[in-house]
Amino acid sequence: MWRNCVRLARRGLGRGAVLRPDPTVSRCGVSKDYALPNSSWSQGMMDLYSRFLEMCKDGTWKRIPSYSNSVDHIPGKAFWGVHSKYQPQLWQTINMDTEGVGFEYAMFLNPSEKRMVCLFQPGPYLEGPSGFAHGGSTATIIDSTIGSCATFVAGRVMTANLSINYRNPIPLGSVVLVDSKVDQVEGRKVFLSCHVRSIDGQTLHAEATALFIRLDSTKSLQQQMSCQ
Amino acid sequence: MWRNCVRLARRGLGRGAVLRPDPTVSRCGVSKDYALPNSSWSQGMMDLYSRFLEMCKDGTWKRIPSYSNSVDHIPGKAFWGVHSKYQPQLWQTINMDTEGVGFEYAMFLNPSEKRMVCLFQPGPYLEGPSGFAHGGSTATIIDSTIGSCATFVAGRVMTANLSINYRNPIPLGSVVLVDSKVDQVEGRKVFLSCHVRSIDGQTLHAEATALFIRLDSTKSLQQQMSCQ
């Protein structure tokens, strides 16, 4: 089920790459875009998705695709140019799971507002207290949405701080809107905030702030995160 | 892969239930304890596990088992006494995944210090930036460890705030020690802190603070989280 998290994480992408309009296959023509409707999506999820697609027509919003590996997103090579010993296994296993059981989501970017929203429908694998999403799954979808937003503004980034206030638990199978925006950029630091609300806007499920650090591809991840 | 998160979450348990010494099966005699060594554990993970087991001998530490459903932990019924429509699917799917690809972990409790540690070996499904654990997986293991610690002190709890500083990324396949403790209890509020370090103690991967709210089983989750 972490497959989707991996896909989310792998969206830490070059700007141009994420803004291709509504593709269903990657540029190599074989990868599946996982952020498209499937039979597990509820009517509420479909309606919200359609609403955002409609808002894409005048260019205000852009749908962000999600592929299963970074090669589809990042011109050149993988995120760090370093292939871990686990990658071959990862690529073999990412397509094993079933639609609807974990993270069902779709992201949309509003470039002028520096805002990224994610429609999120948590499945049963994400259960924490009975019937509700685990706090860790909420943290994951927030980290991924807010991180994608930071990437749009600053390029390659890494989470330095994430602070979440959990206000109301998210029922499994419900649809929530994860709405993030960049508040400020100071040098390599990107400050963002995020709200997670029900689709009718009446229930605030969580609110978060985050600090991301823009990365320098000539330095190791450890070096850069150690001297924030 | 969220199976393990679900198991972790389902440890929000009655005190007595989690303190049975080192069982390999639950009281119903059929469930598997997932927080036991398996072939995916590295030598470092095994060594650390053995060290903590040794410290359990005089009763200072207690190994915390992990079963795949709450019935094994909680006397009586499931966590909320409310069965979501997803539960049957959940129970059918939790054992599908492969050892070593996601959250490999074991928790130990030091009751007198109000401290819970988790030995954690992240697998390839948890990948964020290439070769390293996703920030969301780190948040999940912290939330689960710190939540289990809060449960020991206060009984049923729910995360209200989680703030994480990410200091150094966690390499996939490495072993880290998630070390949490209760700092303060004020009425229904339980304040905790947590550090995630390499097993040699030399690398600080993350540090976190959290606020958990003790729950009243006569009220709904929504009611209680809304009026923290």
Side-chain angles (χ1 to χ4, degrees), chain A residues 10 80 82-87 90 221, chain B residues 127-133 169-174:
Chain A
R10 292 202 169 284
W80 284 101
V82 179
H83 290 270
S84 80
K85 62 179 178 173
Y86 292 98
Q87 273 199 341
L90 176 72
L221 197 53
Chain B
E127 190 173 53
S130 194
F132 296 98
I170 302 174
L172 296 176
S174 71

PDB file of all heavy atoms in Angstrom, chain A residues 10 80 82-87 90 221, chain B residues 127-133 169-174:
ATOM      1  N   ARG A  10       7.587  10.576  -5.327  1.00  0.00           N
ATOM      2  CA  ARG A  10       8.326  10.677  -6.577  1.00  0.00           C
ATOM      3  C   ARG A  10       7.836  11.838  -7.437  1.00  0.00           C
ATOM      4  O   ARG A  10       8.298  12.033  -8.532  1.00  0.00           O
ATOM      5  CB  ARG A  10       8.224   9.364  -7.344  1.00  0.00           C
ATOM      6  CG  ARG A  10       8.952   8.303  -6.618  1.00  0.00           C
ATOM      7  CD  ARG A  10       9.369   7.161  -7.442  1.00  0.00           C
ATOM      8  NE  ARG A  10      10.257   6.395  -6.610  1.00  0.00           N
ATOM      9  CZ  ARG A  10      11.495   6.744  -6.354  1.00  0.00           C
ATOM     10  NH1 ARG A  10      12.018   7.805  -6.907  1.00  0.00           N
ATOM     11  NH2 ARG A  10      12.238   6.026  -5.551  1.00  0.00           N
ATOM     12  N   TRP A  80      17.890  11.364  -6.753  1.00  0.00           N
ATOM     13  CA  TRP A  80      19.208  11.688  -6.223  1.00  0.00           C
ATOM     14  C   TRP A  80      20.341  11.226  -7.110  1.00  0.00           C
ATOM     15  O   TRP A  80      21.501  11.409  -6.756  1.00  0.00           O
ATOM     16  CB  TRP A  80      19.371  11.089  -4.834  1.00  0.00           C
ATOM     17  CG  TRP A  80      18.612  11.903  -3.878  1.00  0.00           C
ATOM     18  CD1 TRP A  80      17.389  11.633  -3.348  1.00  0.00           C
ATOM     19  CD2 TRP A  80      18.981  13.191  -3.407  1.00  0.00           C
ATOM     20  NE1 TRP A  80      16.978  12.667  -2.571  1.00  0.00           N
ATOM     21  CE2 TRP A  80      17.937  13.640  -2.586  1.00  0.00           C
ATOM     22  CE3 TRP A  80      20.081  14.028  -3.596  1.00  0.00           C
ATOM     23  CZ2 TRP A  80      17.969  14.870  -1.957  1.00  0.00           C
ATOM     24  CZ3 TRP A  80      20.111  15.241  -2.954  1.00  0.00           C
ATOM     25  CH2 TRP A  80      19.068  15.645  -2.149  1.00  0.00           C
ATOM     26  N   VAL A  82      21.191   8.471  -7.215  1.00  0.00           N
ATOM     27  CA  VAL A  82      21.778   7.349  -6.478  1.00  0.00           C
ATOM     28  C   VAL A  82      20.723   6.245  -6.420  1.00  0.00           C
ATOM     29  O   VAL A  82      19.634   6.457  -5.917  1.00  0.00           O
ATOM     30  CB  VAL A  82      22.129   7.761  -5.031  1.00  0.00           C
ATOM     31  CG1 VAL A  82      22.705   6.572  -4.273  1.00  0.00           C
ATOM     32  CG2 VAL A  82      23.110   8.925  -5.046  1.00  0.00           C
ATOM     33  N   HIS A  83      21.056   5.125  -6.950  1.00  0.00           N
ATOM     34  CA  HIS A  83      20.094   4.035  -6.934  1.00  0.00           C
ATOM     35  C   HIS A  83      20.368   3.140  -5.742  1.00  0.00           C
ATOM     36  O   HIS A  83      21.445   2.575  -5.622  1.00  0.00           O
ATOM     37  CB  HIS A  83      20.164   3.228  -8.223  1.00  0.00           C
ATOM     38  CG  HIS A  83      19.635   3.997  -9.388  1.00  0.00           C
ATOM     39  ND1 HIS A  83      18.321   3.963  -9.757  1.00  0.00           N
ATOM     40  CD2 HIS A  83      20.244   4.865 -10.219  1.00  0.00           C
ATOM     41  CE1 HIS A  83      18.144   4.765 -10.795  1.00  0.00           C
ATOM     42  NE2 HIS A  83      19.289   5.323 -11.095  1.00  0.00           N
ATOM     43  N   SER A  84      19.433   3.035  -4.845  1.00  0.00           N
ATOM     44  CA  SER A  84      19.617   2.166  -3.688  1.00  0.00           C
ATOM     45  C   SER A  84      19.509   0.727  -4.132  1.00  0.00           C
ATOM     46  O   SER A  84      18.947   0.416  -5.166  1.00  0.00           O
ATOM     47  CB  SER A  84      18.540   2.448  -2.644  1.00  0.00           C
ATOM     48  OG  SER A  84      17.330   1.805  -3.003  1.00  0.00           O
ATOM     49  N   LYS A  85      19.995  -0.150  -3.296  1.00  0.00           N
ATOM     50  CA  LYS A  85      19.912  -1.568  -3.612  1.00  0.00           C
ATOM     51  C   LYS A  85      18.474  -2.057  -3.637  1.00  0.00           C
ATOM     52  O   LYS A  85      18.185  -3.134  -4.108  1.00  0.00           O
ATOM     53  CB  LYS A  85      20.707  -2.386  -2.599  1.00  0.00           C
ATOM     54  CG  LYS A  85      20.209  -2.265  -1.178  1.00  0.00           C
ATOM     55  CD  LYS A  85      21.010  -3.122  -0.216  1.00  0.00           C
ATOM     56  CE  LYS A  85      20.510  -2.933   1.211  1.00  0.00           C
ATOM     57  NZ  LYS A  85      21.134  -3.850   2.151  1.00  0.00           N
ATOM     58  N   TYR A  86      17.571  -1.229  -3.111  1.00  0.00           N
ATOM     59  CA  TYR A  86      16.182  -1.657  -3.051  1.00  0.00           C
ATOM     60  C   TYR A  86      15.391  -1.321  -4.297  1.00  0.00           C
ATOM     61  O   TYR A  86      14.313  -1.804  -4.490  1.00  0.00           O
ATOM     62  CB  TYR A  86      15.493  -1.015  -1.845  1.00  0.00           C
ATOM     63  CG  TYR A  86      16.022  -1.549  -0.563  1.00  0.00           C
ATOM     64  CD1 TYR A  86      16.974  -0.865   0.155  1.00  0.00           C
ATOM     65  CD2 TYR A  86      15.594  -2.789  -0.096  1.00  0.00           C
ATOM     66  CE1 TYR A  86      17.465  -1.380   1.335  1.00  0.00           C
ATOM     67  CE2 TYR A  86      16.083  -3.312   1.075  1.00  0.00           C
ATOM     68  CZ  TYR A  86      17.021  -2.600   1.787  1.00  0.00           C
ATOM     69  OH  TYR A  86      17.514  -3.105   2.943  1.00  0.00           O
ATOM     70  N   GLN A  87      15.918  -0.444  -5.121  1.00  0.00           N
ATOM     71  CA  GLN A  87      15.098   0.031  -6.231  1.00  0.00           C
ATOM     72  C   GLN A  87      14.557  -1.064  -7.155  1.00  0.00           C
ATOM     73  O   GLN A  87      13.393  -1.021  -7.501  1.00  0.00           O
ATOM     74  CB  GLN A  87      15.856   1.085  -7.016  1.00  0.00           C
ATOM     75  CG  GLN A  87      15.631   2.466  -6.411  1.00  0.00           C
ATOM     76  CD  GLN A  87      15.947   3.576  -7.350  1.00  0.00           C
ATOM     77  OE1 GLN A  87      16.659   3.369  -8.319  1.00  0.00           O
ATOM     78  NE2 GLN A  87      15.435   4.745  -7.078  1.00  0.00           N
ATOM     79  N   LEU A  90      11.642  -2.407  -5.583  1.00  0.00           N
ATOM     80  CA  LEU A  90      10.582  -1.414  -5.554  1.00  0.00           C
ATOM     81  C   LEU A  90       9.829  -1.402  -6.874  1.00  0.00           C
ATOM     82  O   LEU A  90       8.610  -1.468  -6.925  1.00  0.00           O
ATOM     83  CB  LEU A  90      11.183  -0.038  -5.278  1.00  0.00           C
ATOM     84  CG  LEU A  90      10.210   1.126  -5.308  1.00  0.00           C
ATOM     85  CD1 LEU A  90       9.298   1.101  -4.104  1.00  0.00           C
ATOM     86  CD2 LEU A  90      10.950   2.433  -5.373  1.00  0.00           C
ATOM     87  N   LEU A 221      22.239  14.481   0.566  1.00  0.00           N
ATOM     88  CA  LEU A 221      21.028  14.762   1.334  1.00  0.00           C
ATOM     89  C   LEU A 221      21.388  15.000   2.801  1.00  0.00           C
ATOM     90  O   LEU A 221      20.899  15.942   3.434  1.00  0.00           O
ATOM     91  CB  LEU A 221      20.099  13.556   1.192  1.00  0.00           C
ATOM     92  CG  LEU A 221      18.638  13.676   1.538  1.00  0.00           C
ATOM     93  CD1 LEU A 221      18.008  14.838   0.808  1.00  0.00           C
ATOM     94  CD2 LEU A 221      17.921  12.390   1.189  1.00  0.00           C
TER      95      LEU A 221
ATOM     96  N   GLU B 127       9.864   4.028   0.492  1.00  0.00           N
ATOM     97  CA  GLU B 127      10.819   4.964  -0.108  1.00  0.00           C
ATOM     98  C   GLU B 127      10.182   6.316  -0.452  1.00  0.00           C
ATOM     99  O   GLU B 127       9.085   6.388  -0.997  1.00  0.00           O
ATOM    100  CB  GLU B 127      11.420   4.351  -1.373  1.00  0.00           C
ATOM    101  CG  GLU B 127      12.597   5.153  -1.922  1.00  0.00           C
ATOM    102  CD  GLU B 127      13.292   4.435  -3.071  1.00  0.00           C
ATOM    103  OE1 GLU B 127      12.599   4.057  -4.030  1.00  0.00           O
ATOM    104  OE2 GLU B 127      14.520   4.251  -3.000  1.00  0.00           O
ATOM    105  N   GLY B 128      10.912   7.376  -0.110  1.00  0.00           N
ATOM    106  CA  GLY B 128      10.559   8.727  -0.539  1.00  0.00           C
ATOM    107  C   GLY B 128      11.602   9.141  -1.545  1.00  0.00           C
ATOM    108  O   GLY B 128      11.627   8.635  -2.667  1.00  0.00           O
ATOM    109  N   PRO B 129      12.534  10.036  -1.146  1.00  0.00           N
ATOM    110  CA  PRO B 129      13.671  10.302  -2.035  1.00  0.00           C
ATOM    111  C   PRO B 129      14.472   9.003  -2.192  1.00  0.00           C
ATOM    112  O   PRO B 129      14.529   8.193  -1.263  1.00  0.00           O
ATOM    113  CB  PRO B 129      14.480  11.361  -1.285  1.00  0.00           C
ATOM    114  CG  PRO B 129      13.959  11.379   0.103  1.00  0.00           C
ATOM    115  CD  PRO B 129      12.573  10.829   0.086  1.00  0.00           C
ATOM    116  N   SER B 130      15.054   8.846  -3.341  1.00  0.00           N
ATOM    117  CA  SER B 130      15.642   7.550  -3.699  1.00  0.00           C
ATOM    118  C   SER B 130      16.609   7.028  -2.642  1.00  0.00           C
ATOM    119  O   SER B 130      17.610   7.657  -2.313  1.00  0.00           O
ATOM    120  CB  SER B 130      16.371   7.689  -5.040  1.00  0.00           C
ATOM    121  OG  SER B 130      16.653   6.409  -5.534  1.00  0.00           O
ATOM    122  N   GLY B 131      16.288   5.854  -2.098  1.00  0.00           N
ATOM    123  CA  GLY B 131      17.156   5.217  -1.119  1.00  0.00           C
ATOM    124  C   GLY B 131      16.839   5.576   0.323  1.00  0.00           C
ATOM    125  O   GLY B 131      17.437   5.010   1.252  1.00  0.00           O
ATOM    126  N   PHE B 132      15.896   6.485   0.521  1.00  0.00           N
ATOM    127  CA  PHE B 132      15.584   6.937   1.886  1.00  0.00           C
ATOM    128  C   PHE B 132      14.085   6.811   2.175  1.00  0.00           C
ATOM    129  O   PHE B 132      13.260   6.828   1.265  1.00  0.00           O
ATOM    130  CB  PHE B 132      16.016   8.394   2.080  1.00  0.00           C
ATOM    131  CG  PHE B 132      17.498   8.603   1.956  1.00  0.00           C
ATOM    132  CD1 PHE B 132      18.051   9.049   0.763  1.00  0.00           C
ATOM    133  CD2 PHE B 132      18.342   8.329   3.021  1.00  0.00           C
ATOM    134  CE1 PHE B 132      19.434   9.232   0.635  1.00  0.00           C
ATOM    135  CE2 PHE B 132      19.715   8.504   2.905  1.00  0.00           C
ATOM    136  CZ  PHE B 132      20.266   8.953   1.710  1.00  0.00           C
ATOM    137  N   ALA B 133      13.773   6.724   3.469  1.00  0.00           N
ATOM    138  CA  ALA B 133      12.372   6.600   3.880  1.00  0.00           C
ATOM    139  C   ALA B 133      11.601   7.895   3.607  1.00  0.00           C
ATOM    140  O   ALA B 133      12.127   8.992   3.777  1.00  0.00           O
ATOM    141  CB  ALA B 133      12.294   6.258   5.366  1.00  0.00           C
ATOM    142  N   PRO B 169      17.955  12.113   6.724  1.00  0.00           N
ATOM    143  CA  PRO B 169      17.085  11.092   6.138  1.00  0.00           C
ATOM    144  C   PRO B 169      17.482   9.694   6.605  1.00  0.00           C
ATOM    145  O   PRO B 169      18.642   9.432   6.902  1.00  0.00           O
ATOM    146  CB  PRO B 169      17.316  11.265   4.637  1.00  0.00           C
ATOM    147  CG  PRO B 169      18.626  11.955   4.519  1.00  0.00           C
ATOM    148  CD  PRO B 169      18.774  12.810   5.727  1.00  0.00           C
ATOM    149  N   ILE B 170      16.503   8.810   6.664  1.00  0.00           N
ATOM    150  CA  ILE B 170      16.736   7.433   7.128  1.00  0.00           C
ATOM    151  C   ILE B 170      16.939   6.518   5.913  1.00  0.00           C
ATOM    152  O   ILE B 170      16.020   6.338   5.119  1.00  0.00           O
ATOM    153  CB  ILE B 170      15.543   6.930   7.960  1.00  0.00           C
ATOM    154  CG1 ILE B 170      15.299   7.849   9.165  1.00  0.00           C
ATOM    155  CG2 ILE B 170      15.764   5.484   8.408  1.00  0.00           C
ATOM    156  CD1 ILE B 170      14.037   7.522   9.968  1.00  0.00           C
ATOM    157  N   PRO B 171      18.131   5.940   5.766  1.00  0.00           N
ATOM    158  CA  PRO B 171      18.349   5.047   4.623  1.00  0.00           C
ATOM    159  C   PRO B 171      17.451   3.811   4.716  1.00  0.00           C
ATOM    160  O   PRO B 171      17.297   3.232   5.795  1.00  0.00           O
ATOM    161  CB  PRO B 171      19.832   4.651   4.763  1.00  0.00           C
ATOM    162  CG  PRO B 171      20.438   5.686   5.645  1.00  0.00           C
ATOM    163  CD  PRO B 171      19.346   6.104   6.583  1.00  0.00           C
ATOM    164  N   LEU B 172      16.881   3.399   3.600  1.00  0.00           N
ATOM    165  CA  LEU B 172      16.101   2.164   3.569  1.00  0.00           C
ATOM    166  C   LEU B 172      16.999   0.999   3.964  1.00  0.00           C
ATOM    167  O   LEU B 172      18.169   0.952   3.571  1.00  0.00           O
ATOM    168  CB  LEU B 172      15.539   1.917   2.162  1.00  0.00           C
ATOM    169  CG  LEU B 172      14.533   2.951   1.665  1.00  0.00           C
ATOM    170  CD1 LEU B 172      14.142   2.641   0.217  1.00  0.00           C
ATOM    171  CD2 LEU B 172      13.288   2.990   2.549  1.00  0.00           C
ATOM    172  N   GLY B 173      16.458   0.097   4.758  1.00  0.00           N
ATOM    173  CA  GLY B 173      17.226  -1.071   5.168  1.00  0.00           C
ATOM    174  C   GLY B 173      18.090  -0.830   6.392  1.00  0.00           C
ATOM    175  O   GLY B 173      18.613  -1.781   6.968  1.00  0.00           O
ATOM    176  N   SER B 174      18.246   0.430   6.794  1.00  0.00           N
ATOM    177  CA  SER B 174      19.021   0.683   8.013  1.00  0.00           C
ATOM    178  C   SER B 174      18.119   0.430   9.224  1.00  0.00           C
ATOM    179  O   SER B 174      16.917   0.195   9.087  1.00  0.00           O
ATOM    180  CB  SER B 174      19.537   2.126   8.029  1.00  0.00           C
ATOM    181  OG  SER B 174      18.468   3.027   8.245  1.00  0.00           O
TER     182      SER B 174
END
